[in-house]
Amino acid sequence: DGMVVRSRTKVRKNLIDVCPNLKVIVRGGVGLDTIDYEYAESKNIKVMNTPLASSASVAELAIGYMLMLARSLYKASASMKAETWDKKSFEGDEIGGKTLGLIGIGNIGKEVAKRAIGLGMNVIAYDPIVKTTDLKVKFVSMEEVLKQSDIITLHIPLDKKTGATITKKEFDQMKNGVILINCARGGVVDEKDLLEALKSGKVAGAGIDVFVNEPPTEEQRELLNHPNVSATPHIGASTNEAQDRVGEEIATKVVQALKK
């Protein structure tokens, strides 16, 4: 009667067709790209996700990347493990006073904005749908986010029809030495164009939690191994607190749907 899945399980037409009693599908996570939700809903199967449960966890990861890249913490830690004391090589930047550009200010973007404001950052945002917020955020065009931001973080879904939101064209509009964070979806940033922007110095550092292929293929190794890239294996929602909230939200939604 009910099906609960996480990120890896794909609920496609062939699976839906062999579940004649199915009334509800709940994905523990953000987005519905792993579910043929239009087909499911055509068969009167309710499809839901848990968009709020992991927002704070993903936001904290994005903030963590900003601090890590601005201060080269991952490089400094590696140097210590290599038994060197290379103090002069790790002069970084404060993120307080810098301009943070949000591309997407939905549930996660708002949580990032709250934390960034608390750290003294100037926050600007572009979102094709959301146009107002009660936070101290200035809404601008996509072009202005690209031009003005010292750090850019993405919190948008992948549009499979239009492809990557950030390509060479967008990189060319950014400040030299910008930091780019992607904890949203693999594919919203063109990985080959990002690698070229890192090589040229246009992008000073990139924090990446999501990839076109997960796990990454050999073709993606050059990007992952770039010295100014810090990467994680899609762990945005992987906190104890988020998992508790996901479980509670799933249980509530399944029960409510089946009671109807």
Side-chain angles (χ1 to χ4, degrees):
D1 296 292
M3 182 185 293
V4 175
V5 296
R6 297 305 306 266
S7 301
R8 184 169 293 184
T9 306
K10 307 293 189 292
V11 185
R12 303 304 184 199
K13 179 179 181 295
N14 61 334
L15 179 56
I16 294 169
D17 285 343
V18 296
C19 300
N21 298 321
L22 200 57
K23 299 176 183 67
V24 59
I25 303 168
V26 183
R27 181 194 167 196
V30 179
L32 296 171
D33 48 305
T34 57
I35 300 172
D36 286 341
Y37 61 90
E38 290 180 353
Y39 180 71
E41 291 180 345
S42 75
K43 296 176 73 72
N44 295 316
I45 300 168
K46 194 166 184 63
V47 180
M48 296 178 284
N49 60 1
T50 57
L52 299 175
S54 59
S55 297
S57 297
V58 178
E60 288 190 4
L61 180 62
I63 294 290
Y65 266 135
M66 294 175 205
L67 293 164
M68 181 184 295
L69 292 163
R71 299 297 301 271
S72 297
L73 299 183
Y74 60 108
K75 290 182 181 178
S77 178
S79 76
M80 292 289 287
K81 292 178 187 296
E83 299 182 8
T84 63
W85 186 262
D86 194 13
K87 185 175 179 179
K88 292 185 178 180
S89 295
F90 301 113
E91 185 172 303
D93 295 292
E94 296 178 359
I95 65 172
K98 299 296 190 298
T99 296
L100 173 65
L102 292 166
I103 300 177
I105 189 165
N107 295 320
I108 297 172
K110 287 176 184 174
E111 293 298 323
V112 174
K114 289 178 189 176
R115 290 156 176 77
I117 292 166
L119 289 166
M121 302 187 79
N122 304 309
V123 182
I124 60 176
Y126 166 77
D127 193 298
I129 299 171
V130 181
K131 299 301 178 186
T132 61
T133 179
D134 56 357
L135 299 171
K136 190 178 178 182
V137 174
K138 182 180 179 182
F139 283 82
V140 297
S141 66
M142 175 73 155
E143 183 179 356
E144 288 305 309
V145 166
L146 298 173
K147 288 182 177 180
Q148 295 182 28
S149 301
D150 301 298
I151 302 173
I152 295 174
T153 181
L154 293 108
H155 302 287
I156 52 173
L158 171 64
D159 188 329
K160 292 182 180 178
K161 293 180 181 178
T162 59
T165 299
I166 304 297
T167 65
K168 184 180 185 301
K169 175 186 174 183
E170 286 71 36
F171 283 120
D172 288 345
Q173 297 177 67
M174 295 178 190
K175 287 184 178 182
N176 291 329
V178 68
I179 288 173
L180 184 76
I181 313 295
N182 184 13
C183 296
R185 278 286 179 269
V188 297
V189 177
D190 186 293
E191 292 178 352
K192 291 181 180 178
D193 291 345
L194 172 57
L195 179 59
E196 291 306 311
L198 285 158
K199 287 180 177 179
S200 71
K202 168 64 78 170
V203 174
I208 316 171
D209 187 49
V210 289
F211 303 88
V212 172
N213 300 298
E214 295 182 358
T217 63
E218 195 58 37
E219 289 182 0
Q220 294 165 288
R221 281 291 141 200
E222 188 177 0
L223 175 62
L224 289 171
N225 292 333
H226 192 282
N228 294 336
V229 167
S230 181
T232 44
H234 204 151
I235 61 169
S238 297
T239 64
N240 294 318
E241 294 83 356
Q243 297 312 301
D244 286 346
R245 291 192 295 266
V246 167
E248 290 170 5
E249 194 171 345
I250 286 172
T252 300
K253 289 187 172 181
V254 169
V255 170
Q256 288 176 344
L258 294 180
K259 278 184 176 179
K260 292 179 182 179

